[in-house]
Amino acid sequence: MNPLPTTSSQIALDRATRRQWVAFAIAVLVLTLAALHAAGLYGRASALSGLEAQGRIDANLKVALLQAVLERPRALPFLLSRDRDVMEALADTDAARRSFLDRKLEELVAGTNAAVIYAIDGKGVAIAASNWREPTSFVGNDYSFRAYFSRAMAEGTAEHFALGSVSKRPGLYISHRIGPAAAPLGVIVVKMEFDQLERDWHETQRPSYVVDANHVVLITSIPSWRFMTTQPLPAESLAAIRESLQFGEAPLAPLPFDPVEGSLLLRAVQPGGGAETYLRIIAPVASTPWHFEYLVPARGAVDAGMREARLLALVAVGAVTLIAALWLRRRQTALADAARDQAAREELERRVIERTRDLSLARDHLQAEIADHRETETKLQAVQEDLVQANRLAILGQVAAGVAHEINQPLATIRAYADNAKVFLTRNRPEPAKENLDLIAGLTDRIAGITEDLKALARKGRTAAEPVVLQEVIDGAILLLRSRFTGRLERLIVAPLSEGLRVTGNRLRLEQVFINLFQNALEAVEDRADGRVTVSIAAGKSDVVVSVADNGPGLPADILASLFEPFNTSKEKGLGLGLVIAKDIVSDYGGRLEVETGERGATFRVHLRKADA
């Protein structure tokens, strides 16, 4: 074998190999730079697309909320335009009529979302207003220059957003003509303000605002942006707005926006902060000439999208580079020496075998972990089933105890009436005995009602509320206690209450409340010679307060601390469920149960909703 040719071939092969690797490195560098650039563009576009989709969903939700706020008061001017009191006050200058209309409008404002309601005569002078008591009352002011007055007189109805000339508060004025077009009496105006809506928008920490047809900001989450413009106003539009005093002396200056050409992006400066990049979402507000604009911070999402896309691009380029490098290396190795290629193949086979063995071991280990996990999961399910069963048994015990406590009083009364009936039958007096038997039948129906009510409570949580006469509830409770406290009910003193006073609830369940309270109070004073229980009723505009006060020893501190917890009682044979059930019943019907105790006794106050409120 001649070694010289072999050495020359090896040198030439080494040179060719180095040239190939230099060309390969240059290609990889160019490919990497191109892939990073393309990935950055794609990531930016994808991030903006996703941001715009989510932003439009948020914007549509906010627009829907705005439309709901707008729609509520729109029917009010139409209805008031046909109101007899409004028309009579405009047709007649009688001061009493207009004073009555002032009070009526004041009551209407209290029950609606309107800020102010006022009536304007045919000359544009306000003759009645809901804010007639306030120093900034609209009564007597001339509004003939306002667009909502002139347009309503001419077209029948109008909506106009402006800054109040008296109150200096911005709002939407919704007006409707009163009387026929040929001889109009005047205009009724409802002003609505958007303070709550703006506060809700402000909590999202993203600029949200509404602009009119002139691009003037009307409603905004950033108060300092109000009455600024999203683009410069033409001179003629600016002059017309100034002349109409629509926005008072607001500068109507452009917002600090710098739009990015060819996209929805813009640079904006928020008060007290630096310039940020936002994606501007614009959505029309139906039934108005307004547009809602929503600024979504874009820099973070765009940067994240570009980083993610470039990372994926680097991974892809790395994979391609690795594959190409391996292919090139293998090709060079094959050309360099067939023996080396054979050795490399053997080495590769050895590595494959080792890798396969490692994977087999890893698979076996994973299967063992999966088996352990399944066994643990099975044990966990068994423990959960045991806990569920234990919880069911606990609930069953509480329900059984509650039923026993609630039917205790009717059963005691049934026993007393049965004993009385036996006495009457022994004395050959069938009529009183029959009355007692009728009462026993009624009490058995009551027990059935209690169990049905408790079952309904367990299934649905509460019994449907209805108007209940409070006198009948208290009389029913006293009736069930008569046999239990024979000869001692004179200690129970019930103050007179208004005839027909009704509360919201269920008669049976409310009787349960007062049975528990009366019984506890009578038992608290049974050892006192001067013991008494006073029941007083105080009726307000929207609620009724029933106070049950005794002059007993009061409640111990340890009992008071957990008074409304189940099975907490100071009685030897008590279950500790009476006050718990009473509080739950009162809460179900929108009321509350309060207690006050001291050395002179205890007072329980039952707050119930008034049925006529």
Side-chain angles (χ1 to χ4, degrees):
M1 180 179 297
N2 188 357
L4 185 58
T6 302
T7 303
S8 301
S9 300
Q10 186 65 45
I11 293 173
L13 184 58
D14 290 342
R15 289 176 179 175
T17 301
R18 286 194 295 270
R19 287 196 298 268
Q20 289 174 357
W21 281 114
V22 171
F24 179 79
I26 294 173
V28 168
L29 179 59
V30 173
L31 177 63
T32 302
L33 293 176
L36 288 176
H37 178 70
L41 295 178
Y42 173 79
R44 183 176 185 275
S46 178
L48 289 177
S49 177
L51 202 62
E52 181 180 4
Q54 183 60 46
R56 289 204 176 276
I57 293 175
D58 295 343
N60 289 337
L61 291 176
K62 293 181 183 295
V63 169
L65 177 61
L66 173 60
Q67 289 176 330
V69 172
L70 287 173
E71 289 302 326
R72 282 197 294 267
R74 279 179 167 168
L76 190 57
F78 173 77
L79 296 176
L80 288 175
S81 67
R82 286 158 173 75
D83 186 84
R84 180 183 300 174
D85 294 332
V86 176
M87 290 189 289
E88 289 178 354
L90 287 170
D92 190 353
T93 59
D94 181 49
R97 290 184 184 276
R98 296 187 174 182
S99 178
F100 175 78
L101 183 58
D102 283 332
R103 293 190 296 274
K104 181 174 183 177
L105 296 180
E106 184 180 31
E107 292 176 358
L108 282 176
V109 163
T112 64
N113 290 328
V116 185
I117 305 175
Y118 52 105
I120 304 175
D121 63 15
K123 297 179 180 180
V125 178
I127 58 99
S130 60
N131 62 353
W132 62 280
R133 299 178 186 271
E134 301 175 8
T136 58
S137 170
F138 291 0
V139 177
N141 291 320
D142 187 355
Y143 295 102
S144 59
F145 68 94
R146 285 294 198 184
Y148 59 79
F149 171 76
S150 57
R151 283 170 50 197
M153 291 289 285
E155 303 173 10
T157 184
E159 292 185 5
H160 184 65
F161 194 100
L163 182 69
S165 59
V166 175
S167 66
K168 303 303 180 183
R169 294 179 57 82
L172 178 64
Y173 296 83
I174 306 173
S175 57
H176 200 286
R177 184 179 60 216
I178 301 173
L185 297 175
V187 171
I188 188 74
V189 183
V190 175
K191 180 185 179 182
M192 61 179 300
E193 297 176 355
F194 301 90
D195 294 349
Q196 183 59 47
L197 183 66
E198 290 180 334
R199 286 193 294 269
D200 293 340
W201 287 356
H202 181 73
E203 291 178 358
T204 64
Q205 300 297 320
R206 292 184 175 181
S208 306
Y209 53 91
V210 175
V211 298
D212 62 8
N214 291 320
H215 306 285
V216 178
V217 176
L218 306 179
I219 307 167
T220 174
S221 62
I222 302 177
S224 62
W225 284 9
R226 182 176 287 109
F227 300 151
M228 298 184 74
T229 63
T230 56
Q231 60 186 49
L233 286 175
E236 57 274 13
S237 299
L238 182 61
I241 293 174
R242 294 283 190 212
E243 184 177 357
S244 68
L245 298 179
Q246 180 180 1
F247 303 121
E249 298 179 357
L252 299 175
L255 285 168
F257 288 174
D258 184 13
V260 177
E261 186 176 357
S263 69
L264 297 177
L265 296 177
L266 57 80
R267 299 275 293 174
V269 180
Q270 287 200 49
E276 294 287 342
T277 301
Y278 295 94
L279 178 67
R280 178 159 60 178
I281 307 296
I282 302 176
V285 181
S287 74
T288 71
W290 299 348
H291 282 80
F292 174 77
E293 296 191 8
Y294 186 46
L295 302 187
V296 182
R299 185 173 62 182
V302 170
D303 291 345
M306 293 177 68
R307 282 196 303 270
E308 182 178 354
R310 285 172 175 169
L311 179 61
L312 292 175
L314 285 175
V315 172
V317 170
V320 172
T321 302
L322 180 60
I323 294 172
L326 290 175
W327 174 82
L328 182 59
R329 180 61 180 170
R330 291 189 56 166
R331 178 174 179 274
Q332 292 173 348
T333 303
L335 294 174
D337 195 352
R340 185 189 299 175
D341 185 55
Q342 181 63 31
R345 284 197 298 270
E346 292 175 357
E347 178 67 16
L348 181 60
E349 290 175 0
R350 184 183 64 79
R351 291 182 179 180
V352 169
I353 292 172
E354 291 179 355
R355 184 59 175 167
T356 302
R357 183 173 65 253
D358 293 341
L359 290 176
S360 298
L361 293 175
R363 180 200 61 195
D364 295 340
H365 181 68
L366 181 60
Q367 288 177 345
E369 288 185 350
I370 291 174
D372 292 342
H373 177 71
R374 289 177 178 171
E375 182 180 356
T376 303
E377 190 176 63
T378 302
K379 292 180 181 178
L380 179 60
Q381 289 177 352
V383 172
Q384 288 177 341
E385 291 175 359
D386 292 342
L387 289 176
V388 170
Q389 182 64 20
N391 186 49
R392 290 175 179 171
L393 292 176
I395 293 173
L396 180 60
Q398 290 184 8
V399 171
V403 171
H405 185 277
E406 289 302 317
I407 67 176
N408 182 54
Q409 285 299 330
L411 285 176
T413 307
I414 288 173
R415 177 60 184 268
Y417 283 139
D419 291 342
N420 291 341
K422 288 169 60 178
V423 172
F424 286 133
L425 289 175
T426 303
R427 297 177 181 177
N428 198 22
R429 297 177 61 187
E431 288 302 323
K434 182 179 179 182
E435 292 178 1
N436 284 358
L437 293 175
D438 290 339
L439 292 172
I440 289 173
L443 288 171
T444 57
D445 292 337
R446 179 179 184 81
I447 293 174
I450 290 174
T451 57
E452 287 299 321
D453 186 60
L454 289 174
K455 288 191 292 183
L457 183 62
R459 290 193 303 267
K460 301 177 182 178
R462 62 183 297 178
T463 303
E466 59 184 4
V468 177
V469 179
L470 184 58
Q471 184 68 61
E472 295 178 358
V473 173
I474 295 177
D475 291 344
I478 295 174
L479 175 65
L480 287 178
L481 293 173
R482 181 168 291 128
S483 61
R484 167 70 174 81
F485 295 95
T486 303
R488 289 177 289 170
L489 273 182
E490 67 274 5
R491 296 186 174 192
L492 181 64
I493 304 171
V494 181
L497 68 157
S498 302
E499 183 178 356
L501 179 62
R502 298 189 302 171
V503 296
T504 299
N506 175 272
R507 176 179 173 179
L508 179 60
R509 301 191 74 200
L510 292 180
E511 284 183 8
Q512 291 174 302
V513 174
F514 291 110
I515 286 172
N516 281 310
L517 296 181
F518 293 168
Q519 176 176 295
N520 290 344
L522 289 170
E523 290 176 349
V525 301
E526 63 183 354
D527 295 333
R528 291 177 176 259
D530 61 341
R532 67 181 183 279
V533 178
T534 305
V535 181
S536 59
I537 295 94
K541 291 184 179 180
S542 60
D543 66 344
V544 176
V545 180
V546 182
S547 300
V548 181
D550 64 68
N551 62 342
L555 296 171
D558 57 338
I559 297 297
L560 184 63
S562 54
L563 185 62
F564 296 106
E565 294 182 4
F567 310 112
N568 175 46
T569 180
S570 60
K571 304 176 185 176
E572 294 183 359
K573 298 183 179 179
L575 292 175
L577 291 173
L579 291 177
V580 176
I581 294 173
K583 182 179 180 182
D584 289 344
I585 291 174
V586 173
S587 299
D588 281 347
Y589 299 118
R592 65 183 187 276
L593 179 59
E594 300 175 345
V595 60
E596 181 180 341
T597 185
E599 297 179 356
R600 297 184 179 181
T603 301
F604 285 83
R605 294 185 180 87
V606 183
H607 295 256
L608 298 171
R609 291 171 55 194
K610 197 172 183 181
D612 300 331

